[in-house]
Structure formats: C-alpha cells, structure tokens
Amino acid sequence: MTPPEPVETRTTSPTAGRSAQTATLAEIAREAGVSAPTVSKVLNGRADVAPATRGRVEALLRAHGYRRRRAEASRSPLIDLVFHELESAWAMEVIRGVENVARDAGLSVVLSESAGRLTPGRTWADQVAARRPHGVILVLSGLDESQRALLTSRSIPFVVMDPAGDPGVDVPSIGATNWQGGLAATRHLIELGHTRIGAITGPSRMMCSRARVDGYRAALETAGLPVDPALIATGDFHHEAGYRQGLELLRRPDRPTAVFALNDLQALGLYEAARELGLRIPEDLSVVGFDDLPVARWVGPPLTSVRQPLTEMAEAAARLVLDLGREDQAVATRVELATSLVVRSSTAPPPA
C-alpha cells in the first residue's frame, strides 16, 4: 500500500536549539557533592540512588545542558512504544506499524501504558533511561519538562504520535489532518440532504477531537446550516460513550437524521443505541465514524468512516525516531498525513 503524502511539514535539525555541553561528569559530581560513579548511575537510570541525590544531579544535568555523546550511549535493540490507554483495535493498528519498521531494523518493541494519564510517571522515565532504547514513541501522550530533559541528556530521541495537546515547536510529532477529516465527514452528510446532523465528540482536552469538531462546524456553517449545541454530545472515544450519548440524541423529539461519531468505536456504540430504539441504519439514521478500523468493514451495515492512516502514521513515527538517533542531520519533525473519506452503506439520504 502506498502511504499517504505527508502535508504541513516543518524541517528542523535535531541539534537546533541545543546548548553546548559545558560540564563534565566530574564537574557535575563536584557541584552535587557526590562521586562521578553516582552521576553515572543517575544517567543510566540505576535504582540504587537516593531520591534527593537523584533530583540534585538531574537538576545540574539540566542546568548545564549535559547531553551524553552518542558514542558513549550504547543502545539496547529496542523501541519504547507508550500508549496513554492500551486497548481496542486502534492500538493494534499503531503497534503493527511500529513493529513493521522495528522488525526491518532488527529491533524489538517494548509496550507500556500510562493508565489514561497524558504524561507517563517518573518511574517510567527512569526505566527508559536504564533500558537505553533506540528511541521512544508516545501515542496520545507527551512528556513533562523533566522527562524531556532526562531523555535528551541520555541521547534517547522521542517522537509524539497523534499528540493530545500542542507538543511544542521543538518536539517531533506525527499526526493526521483531523480538521479536514471532520469537514469531509460532515460535508458528505450535507450533500446527501441532511440538515440536522449530530456529533459525538471526543475529550475536549485532545487536540484531534477539537480539530474534528471544528471541521464539523465549518462544514455546517459553510453550507448555511445552524450549529445546534443540543446536537453536540460529549464523548470519550469509547464504545460506551457512543451508546450512552447516542441514546440521548436519538430520544430527542427533534432527533438528528445523521450523526458524525468522531471515531469508529463511538459509531459502533451508536449502532447499538439505534437498534435498541428500533431505528434502521441508514434508512432512519446515517452514521459516519473516524479512523476506518478493520471492524468498519465487518459491521452491518458496513460503516462510512474517515480513514486515518494509523499504520502509516506509526511507521512514519518509528522511522523518524530512528532517523533522529542515527546522526545530526535535518529531518522533517512535524508531519501530518492525509485523511480520506471511505463511503460505505451506513449513509443515505434522510427519510422523506
């Protein structure tokens, strides 16, 4: 399969903005009042260092802009892949993409989950420092300043895939054209003749959800249709939210004739709500999802969905993190891959 063309790229050098290494480990050890082997233990993520000592050494490493030279950084044959939630077919598509690149490079993949938090815990950062992987890929997650400094000082490159918030101008990231996808999904329903189009959003803290909702709003406004807040239900990208919010939308006396569910899992929950209320898809209700997971082709009726190239995004993230770790060269560190609408049998003109 030919991967989508990347759009909206920004090219930077991985060394841009880096301060020069101004202190040796021995000098940092003297300032911290510890031995050089203790500083080395902190750099290697060893557990046998007192928390107060570790914090003092880490602060000095950050203050001096210390970065271990790549020749010193013996890497393990690993890529760390971190999910904020490790569940559903969505995660499997991402894992498949990273595995494709890792396998070709002779590397293995370490999976971890931050239990719904958008930033992994401190223990995770120490474990990564001890593993010394070729790189770290964070999915719908990010790093705080101290974690970024820790990985940078160990010459461990990192990339954020589908960032939940603004990752920052200096953080490499891979995303998709979420606004364009929301626009295409809603415009498709408008072209079929729908005028009351509902939406089940994702979490407002997630940038991808906000972008898809903005695309939905733009399509309605461009067509001269009102944006009715009563038809916009807040979800969380899980099946249960699609079912729960779907019941509320479809029980309204002025219910929508079509719903953009913002992801496939919520669309499947909406399918369940429609069946419970005796509504037929697409005769009584049109449904559009987002992601185009394999299950979208298998459900009845097959789901119209905005294809987010998850496997290709994961492959791009894995290639980028390896490129960042190989040598100091200019690489594209902000990339968005194109989405596309896949029309199936879940959408049709509204009932007469």
Side-chain angles (χ1 to χ4, degrees):
M1 180 181 295
T2 302
E5 291 295 323
V7 299
E8 299 181 28
T9 62
R10 177 175 62 82
T11 301
T12 64
S13 167
T15 57
R18 261 182 221 156
S19 57
Q21 186 167 311
T22 58
T24 66
L25 291 186
E27 290 167 338
I28 289 172
R30 280 197 298 271
E31 285 193 50
V34 298
S35 66
T38 298
V39 176
S40 181
K41 286 181 180 180
V42 173
L43 275 170
N44 291 321
R46 291 271 298 275
D48 53 340
V49 179
T53 301
R54 181 186 301 278
R56 191 163 66 252
V57 171
E58 290 284 6
L60 286 167
L61 290 170
R62 290 195 298 272
H64 286 288
Y66 181 86
R67 182 179 178 88
R68 170 181 283 185
R69 292 191 300 274
R70 287 198 172 98
E72 298 176 281
S74 58
R75 298 193 182 102
S76 300
L78 304 171
I79 294 177
D80 264 72
L81 178 57
V82 186
F83 289 87
H84 91 295
E85 287 181 338
L86 183 55
E87 59 180 32
S88 84
W90 191 96
M92 292 304 301
E93 296 298 300
V94 175
I95 294 169
R96 181 176 294 112
V98 175
E99 284 277 7
N100 289 343
V101 174
R103 182 171 56 250
D104 290 344
L107 304 175
S108 299
V109 178
V110 176
L111 295 179
S112 56
E113 182 196 52
S114 56
R117 299 188 303 270
L118 296 185
T119 302
R122 173 69 201 200
T123 302
W124 167 86
D126 290 337
Q127 291 170 346
V128 171
R131 280 195 293 270
R132 298 191 301 279
H134 274 62
V136 175
I137 300 171
L138 300 112
V139 184
L140 280 174
S141 189
L143 299 172
D144 62 30
E145 185 176 347
S146 65
Q147 291 168 336
R148 289 172 56 183
L150 185 149
L151 295 185
T152 299
S153 69
R154 275 70 169 180
S155 290
I156 301 174
F158 54 89
V159 172
V160 179
M161 177 183 157
D162 204 8
D166 183 0
V169 295
D170 59 339
V171 176
S173 66
I174 303 291
T177 54
N178 287 290
W179 183 89
Q180 185 63 42
L183 181 80
T186 312
R187 185 171 285 169
H188 168 65
L189 295 170
I190 293 170
E191 289 172 350
L192 288 172
H194 294 275
T195 57
R196 288 190 59 74
I197 302 171
I200 303 176
T201 75
S204 60
R205 63 182 177 172
M206 290 189 177
M207 192 162 58
C208 62
S209 175
R210 296 197 301 271
R212 294 172 198 178
V213 171
D214 287 345
Y216 158 85
R217 291 176 179 272
L220 292 175
E221 291 169 354
T222 301
L225 297 174
V227 178
D228 185 350
L231 296 185
I232 303 175
T234 301
D236 59 11
F237 284 155
H238 291 89
H239 176 278
E240 293 77 10
Y243 169 73
R244 184 178 62 255
Q245 300 289 27
L247 284 176
E248 291 194 17
L249 286 173
L250 299 180
R251 282 172 173 160
R252 294 180 58 86
D254 55 348
R255 67 171 180 83
T257 60
V259 176
F260 172 34
L262 267 74
N263 81 331
D264 288 352
L265 294 181
Q266 291 186 150
L268 298 182
L270 180 60
Y271 268 43
E272 185 178 346
R275 282 194 298 270
E276 187 171 310
L277 297 177
L279 297 174
R280 300 166 300 163
I281 299 173
E283 292 85 356
D284 303 315
L285 175 71
S286 287
V287 178
V288 180
F290 199 111
D291 289 331
D292 194 32
L293 299 175
V295 69
R297 301 189 297 272
W298 306 333
V299 295
L303 175 66
T304 295
S305 183
V306 176
R307 182 174 185 271
Q308 180 173 213
L310 293 170
T311 300
E312 293 91 335
M313 289 165 63
E315 290 173 343
R319 285 192 293 268
L320 176 56
V321 83
L322 294 181
D323 286 344
L324 290 170
R326 284 192 182 107
E327 56 182 316
D328 293 336
Q329 62 180 358
V331 294
T333 57
R334 297 292 294 274
V335 179
E336 288 187 343
L337 300 188
T339 54
S340 59
L341 181 68
V342 181
V343 178
R344 299 193 179 94
S345 305
S346 67
T347 51

